[in-house]
Amino acid sequence: MTKEDALKAYFGYDAFRGGQEQVIDALLAGRDALAIMPTGAGKSICYQIPALLLPGITLVISPLVSLMRDQVTALVQMGIPAAFLNSSLTFKQYLLALDRARAGWYKIIYVAPERLETEGFRSFAEQADISLVAVDEAHCISQWGQDFRPSYLNIPAFVKSLKKRPPVGAFTATATQDVKADIEKLLELDRPLRVATGFDRENLFFAVRQPQNKQESLVDLIRSRPDQCGIVYCATRRTVEETCGLLQEAGISATRYHAGLEPEERQKNQEDFLYDRMQVMVATNAFGMGIDKSNVRYVIHYNMPKDMESYYQEAGRAGRDGLPASCILLYSGQDVRTAQFLIEHSEPREELDARTAEQLRERDFQRLRQMMGYCKTRRCLRQYILRYFGELAPDHCGACWNCLHNFESVDVSREARGIIRCVMETGGHFGVGVITETLCGADTDKVRKFHMDREETYGLLRDHTQAEVRSCIHFLFDESILVLSDGPYPVVGLGERAGEVLREAPDLFMQVEKGERPAFKRRPSVPEELEGAQAELFGRLRALRAQLARRQGVPAYAVFSDKTLRELAVVRPRTMEELKSVGGIGDAKASRYGRAFLAEIAAFEE
């Protein structure tokens, strides 16, 4: 069997996506690989195809139980023998799984990194024919990453302990340059193929809103998306409880997930969401890493995350099927204070010395500043994200809230020079709040305490509101005219262009909101909604899928994704061969479900 045969037979696709084939070829040739691919880009196929073609077992090291369970469920549905070994198994179940692994039952085994150090598993691994080791969520090995897990540091020693070193593939969706270098170094990858397919998810619509009433705004957003699955992320357990209760009182089908719940309730709530028994999951960031639910149509952040890595990873759980999905962040000043508190009161890592711990804390505050910048920018939100991860991006994407917003360009040259002079005059010792109050001529405790009312720039911009001046200051951050220091109490300083603005007095134009926002528009590349007979058939196919999923005891998307059902509703295949030409339908799924769907389509056309 070739890699193309395996792709079609098991996964139902005719061609590889960008980057997949290069990684697969490298691993099949015995070469290490480092793949940086966004959520939904098909990272798992990069190691699942080699696993099918290589002679022995593929070990997939993964951090979360939920990820393993979902992946194994999907693989078994495709006809691929797979299993997981983690703490969710009883000791008897674990021993049985190991015995079956020794007997050659499985091609792919998912294992938690902590399991690598146990005597029973090491004994099995040292004797097993392991052809490939895949490290998922590889950014967890870096202490500079947002999800550092010390257990990942044991992976290189485990690989060395095997009777023959297999190729190692490292996979992650989000990684800055520092984290990429850490992954390669700490995993001891040997001259790896490096593939980065780009971070852009074209089907995702990004928006940041600053509502007067978050609760009302959240309820309105969800009610405007009836019958759609979504995730609402909150910063704390208490907010999860309050928000879930709010949605339930509003008649919305919602459940909750956070680390304070009993394991049995977490598992039940997660399965209720995965199996479409609940429409909305309200959760902390404890939920979601590796959750393979393809039909999440929106992710709403009720609170601002602490960093861009977390935000993009969590937002990326929307639209994994490639269909249009929304990522909306509801921002408020209180979110910043909550994030600062969480950083300041985070538990110190015992394995770190005091100097390194302080460096990491400073890095956390730097990330928070960049996250705040995303919430404040008037520029293209997609461009802001991509530039953060080191990619070039156009100034206008046409598919984010800012690009579709009704803005007008306003000359803020006078205001900019006044702000720069105020920062120079006060010696760069104050934050955005004090600078704003000084320029607006406010009579506040801080202004009086620091004698800001004696400065020449005091009241210079009293014709503006404080909100307008803050917006201008954040615009100057975007333009590298001003900078914001790191740390818990950041101060405003002069950027590399400040002198140029004062000396040459160039015109500076800032995007300012005017009137109401226009209706959302879709990018030309995003499929339109089905209408008429196609929409009716799609509904019938969804109902059939739900019925089959209940019989199989699997989530609906594990039968066919919404994207596959849409294509079925348009193409309306009549034969099994025509059915298998539809994306996402391989031999195993065609054999298991094909006749039922062909019969439903035929009945519809009668």
Side-chain angles (χ1 to χ4, degrees), residues 45 178 236 335 374 419:
I45 282 179
D178 288 344
T236 65
D335 293 340
Y374 175 80
I419 293 169

Side-chain angles (χ1 to χ4, degrees), residues 179-305:
V179 173
K180 290 178 189 176
D182 254 6
I183 293 172
E184 187 171 335
K185 176 184 176 183
L186 296 174
L187 280 179
E188 299 180 9
L189 300 182
D190 182 17
R191 293 169 296 162
L193 170 74
R194 303 177 186 89
V195 172
T197 59
F199 289 93
D200 193 12
R201 296 276 306 283
E202 293 188 356
N203 63 311
L204 299 185
F205 175 88
F206 293 96
V208 176
R209 301 189 187 180
Q210 193 168 359
Q212 292 294 321
N213 188 312
K214 271 194 182 185
Q215 294 185 341
E216 290 181 3
S217 181
L218 177 65
V219 171
D220 289 344
L221 283 169
I222 295 175
R223 281 179 171 166
S224 69
R225 293 162 169 80
D227 303 321
Q228 292 185 0
C229 291
I231 302 173
V232 178
Y233 279 109
C234 302
T236 65
R237 300 175 187 179
R238 177 180 176 181
T239 309
V240 167
E241 295 289 342
E242 293 172 349
T243 305
C244 186
L246 167 75
L247 297 182
Q248 290 172 344
E249 288 176 7
I252 294 170
S253 171
T255 188
R256 59 184 181 164
Y257 190 104
H258 60 70
L261 301 177
E262 292 297 323
E264 294 78 13
E265 182 179 354
R266 287 203 304 272
Q267 183 65 33
K268 177 186 180 299
N269 293 349
Q270 176 172 298
E271 290 182 355
D272 283 346
F273 179 66
L274 291 178
Y275 287 71
D276 294 333
R277 294 191 288 265
M278 286 291 181
Q279 174 188 349
V280 181
M281 171 62 79
V282 184
T284 62
N285 61 6
F287 175 81
M289 183 184 286
I291 293 297
D292 192 18
K293 183 174 171 65
S294 63
N295 63 335
V296 175
R297 297 269 66 85
Y298 60 88
V299 170
I300 299 173
H301 279 81
Y302 192 73
N303 304 112
M304 179 191 72

Side-chain angles (χ1 to χ4, degrees), residues 352-369:
L352 301 179
D353 59 66
R355 182 172 179 273
T356 303
E358 182 58 30
Q359 288 176 335
L360 289 176
R361 186 167 174 270
E362 291 176 3
R363 179 70 65 91
D364 288 343
F365 279 115
Q366 181 184 11
R367 287 189 176 126
L368 177 58
R369 300 281 84 73

Side-chain angles (χ1 to χ4, degrees), residues 368-393:
L368 177 58
R369 300 281 84 73
Q370 290 161 325
M371 188 70 239
M372 290 169 58
Y374 175 80
C375 296
K376 295 286 189 178
T377 188
R378 295 294 177 90
R379 292 190 170 196
C380 171
L381 295 173
R382 190 180 307 275
Q383 180 197 60
Y384 191 103
I385 292 170
L386 296 181
R387 285 190 175 181
Y388 177 82
F389 290 110
E391 288 190 14
L392 296 177

